[in-house]
């Protein structure tokens, strides 16, 4: 039985084909990896590297092994293990699958078609890919619903609970989540800095580049004129944020255009905040219709009691979505925010209690713990 591939470390490349080696080195560089390169046949427990250098990655210890098709027959006797890929460029060779079986390869990757797949696989190893973050979006069912306040509070409470947390501002016209956290002048990158991003964004590099405020990282908009980031860049950035694990919270605008759809497609859950009054419920129906076209799971959060005899369950029923809970209007919250205290900071407030209960249920469900 093949062993598990070790996590972390440097990939191992085994090939004598100079053109293939150039391609693999280029793809490793794109994934942020510095590989070991070998021209030798691996032996059980032994190191393999250029010239047999001491300290080189071994066949069994490397987190990922990329075997060039030219070297497949020479490594047939190597111990079976996970994380071995056979890489070549000949798309018409019918024997390649047999060689893959002989060396216990998980997959055959033919370049250039499989370049993107290979970069992703290498980057996963370098970043120690594990369980992706639980990604939650928050959207207002109507204007002034308090979605940004709830998104900020959810992120603050998750960070206070010890979760690795990234708060993403998905609304370029919303005024900036960094402002809500009191960090508009904090050093770090904002959305316009990622506008030229193409392909995979490094998860670790993304996290380290963002401002750190109240024990969480925040990706916000700056105060410049740019309010558009290409959908491909948004997709790459959100995917990178999720790969770090923990929690990702996204504050969403009420419109569902192409950039917002890219975010919605990567979310596990969307909370739609609906103020407790009939006109807001009517507006929320239109918002919900747009969100459901992309999002997998949409739930309702009722903010304040609804006049006219509607209870929270009835509001959710009218909108055709499950009820995630009710957040009572918290007296004094706007004043505290104006004085520089982010929402959710006070652990005894109604908003913080809702957020704590939500994370206990949501994270417990993800981890297989009864809510």
């Amino acid at each position: 039985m093949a062993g598990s591939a070790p996590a972390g470390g440097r990939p191992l490349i085994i090939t004598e084909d100079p053109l293939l080696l150039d391609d693999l080195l280029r793809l490793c560089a794109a994934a942020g990896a510095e590989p070991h390169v070998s021209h030798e046949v691996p032996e059980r427990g032994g190191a393999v590297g250029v010239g047999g250098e001491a300290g080189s990655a071994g066949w069994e210890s490397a987190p990922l092994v990329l075997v060039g098709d030219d070297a497949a027959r020479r490594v047939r006797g190597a111990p079976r293990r996970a994380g071995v890929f056979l890489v070549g460029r000949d798309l018409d060779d019918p024997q390649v699958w047999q060689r893959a079986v002989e060396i216990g390869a998980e997959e055959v990757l033919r370049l250039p078609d499989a370049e993107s797949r290979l970069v992703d696989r290498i980057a996963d190893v370098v970043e120690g890919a594990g369980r992706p973050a639980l990604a939650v979006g928050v959207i207002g069912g109507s204007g002034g619903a308090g979605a940004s306040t709830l998104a900020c509070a959810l992120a603050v409470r998750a960070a206070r609970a010890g979760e690795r947390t990234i708060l993403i501002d998905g609304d370029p016209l919303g005024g900036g989540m960094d402002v809500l956290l009191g960090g508009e002048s904090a050093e770090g990158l904002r959305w316009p800095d990622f506008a030229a991003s193409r392909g995979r964004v490094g998860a670790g590099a993304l996290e380290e580049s963002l401002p750190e405020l109240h024990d969480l990282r925040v990706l916000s908009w700056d105060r410049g004129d740019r309010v558009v980031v290409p959908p491909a860049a948004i997709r790459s950035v959100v995917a990178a944020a999720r790969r770090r694990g923990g929690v990702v919270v996204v504050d969403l605008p009420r419109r569902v255009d192409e950039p917002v759809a890219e975010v919605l497609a990567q979310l596990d859950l969307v909370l739609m905040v609906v103020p407790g009054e009939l006109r807001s419920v009517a507006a929320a129906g239109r918002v919900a219709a747009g969100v459901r076209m992309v999002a997998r799971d949409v739930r309702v959060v009722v903010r304040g009691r609804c006049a006219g005899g509607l209870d929270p369950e009835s509001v959710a029923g009218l909108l055709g979505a499950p009820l995630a809970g009710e957040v009572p209007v918290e007296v004094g919250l706007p004043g505290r925010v104006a004085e520089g205290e982010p929402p959710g900071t006070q652990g005894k407030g109604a908003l913080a209690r809702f957020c704590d209960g939500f994370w206990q249920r949501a994270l417990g469900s993800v981890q297989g713990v009864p809510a």
Side-chain angles (χ1 to χ4, degrees):
M1 180 176 178
S4 299
R10 297 167 62 180
L12 172 64
I13 297 174
I14 302 177
T15 183
E16 291 183 342
D17 182 338
L19 296 179
L20 179 60
L21 178 59
D22 285 346
D23 284 339
L24 293 178
L25 291 175
R26 172 176 55 83
L27 296 176
C28 284
E34 183 181 352
H36 291 285
V37 179
S38 173
H39 307 306
E40 300 182 1
V41 178
E43 297 178 358
R44 182 178 295 274
V48 291
V50 178
E53 297 173 355
S56 297
W59 172 270
E60 293 177 301
S61 63
L64 185 73
V65 179
L66 305 177
V67 179
D69 193 31
D70 64 292
R73 297 194 184 282
R74 296 190 296 111
V75 301
R76 281 184 297 184
R80 292 301 175 101
R81 53 152 293 169
V84 176
F85 293 83
L86 183 62
V87 187
R89 281 194 252 92
D90 188 350
L91 301 179
D92 300 319
D93 182 0
Q95 302 300 316
V96 67
W97 301 105
Q98 180 179 341
R99 293 193 291 277
V101 171
E102 290 173 347
I103 67 172
E106 290 185 12
E107 193 173 343
V108 175
L109 300 174
R110 307 196 195 209
L111 304 182
D113 293 352
E115 284 194 357
S116 177
R117 158 71 177 151
L118 185 51
V119 169
D120 284 348
R121 190 66 182 87
I122 296 169
D124 283 343
V125 167
V126 173
E127 295 172 358
R131 184 193 299 274
L134 176 62
V136 178
V138 185
I139 191 169
S142 65
S148 295
T149 298
L150 178 58
C152 184
L154 283 168
V156 168
R157 298 311 300 174
R160 292 283 176 94
E163 295 289 338
R164 173 187 276 127
T165 305
I166 296 181
L167 174 60
I168 297 178
D169 187 350
D171 187 357
L173 303 180
M177 294 299 288
D178 54 351
V179 176
L180 196 55
L181 287 162
E184 58 270 25
S185 60
E187 293 186 2
L189 301 184
R190 267 67 173 179
W191 265 121
D193 297 306
F194 295 97
S197 297
R198 296 291 184 273
R200 186 179 177 112
V201 174
L206 171 68
E207 184 177 23
E208 293 172 4
S209 73
L210 301 178
E212 184 174 7
L213 304 169
H214 300 277
D215 300 319
L216 60 92
R217 299 284 181 166
V218 58
L219 174 55
S220 189
W221 294 84
D222 60 12
R223 260 44 71 186
D225 296 333
R226 181 162 197 152
V227 295
V228 177
V229 171
I234 289 177
R235 178 172 60 251
S236 296
V237 169
V238 175
R242 293 204 66 192
R243 286 197 301 274
R244 290 294 281 177
V247 165
V248 173
V249 180
V250 185
D251 180 41
L252 296 163
R254 292 173 60 212
R255 68 184 184 282
V256 181
D257 54 15
E258 188 176 359
V260 174
E262 290 287 357
V263 178
L264 287 171
Q266 297 194 57
L267 298 180
D268 299 298
L269 170 65
V270 176
L271 297 177
M272 185 169 60
V273 185
V274 183
E277 55 98 10
L278 292 175
R279 187 164 176 265
S280 295
V281 174
R286 293 189 291 273
V287 175
V291 172
R292 283 197 192 98
M293 295 177 65
V294 186
R296 296 188 293 270
D297 189 348
V298 182
R299 306 183 193 182
V300 173
V301 176
V302 177
R303 181 169 169 264
R305 280 286 171 173
C306 189
L310 288 178
D311 56 24
E313 290 77 10
S314 298
V315 172
L318 288 172
L319 295 172
L323 178 66
E326 177 187 2
V327 180
V329 175
E330 189 169 324
V331 178
L333 178 61
R336 294 197 300 272
V337 172
E339 292 173 359
E341 180 183 296
T345 304
Q346 289 201 359
K348 296 183 179 179
L351 183 59
R353 288 196 300 272
F354 170 86
C355 294
D356 290 345
F358 170 81
W359 288 126
Q360 183 178 11
R361 295 187 299 273
L363 293 172
S365 175
V366 168
Q367 296 166 0
V369 178

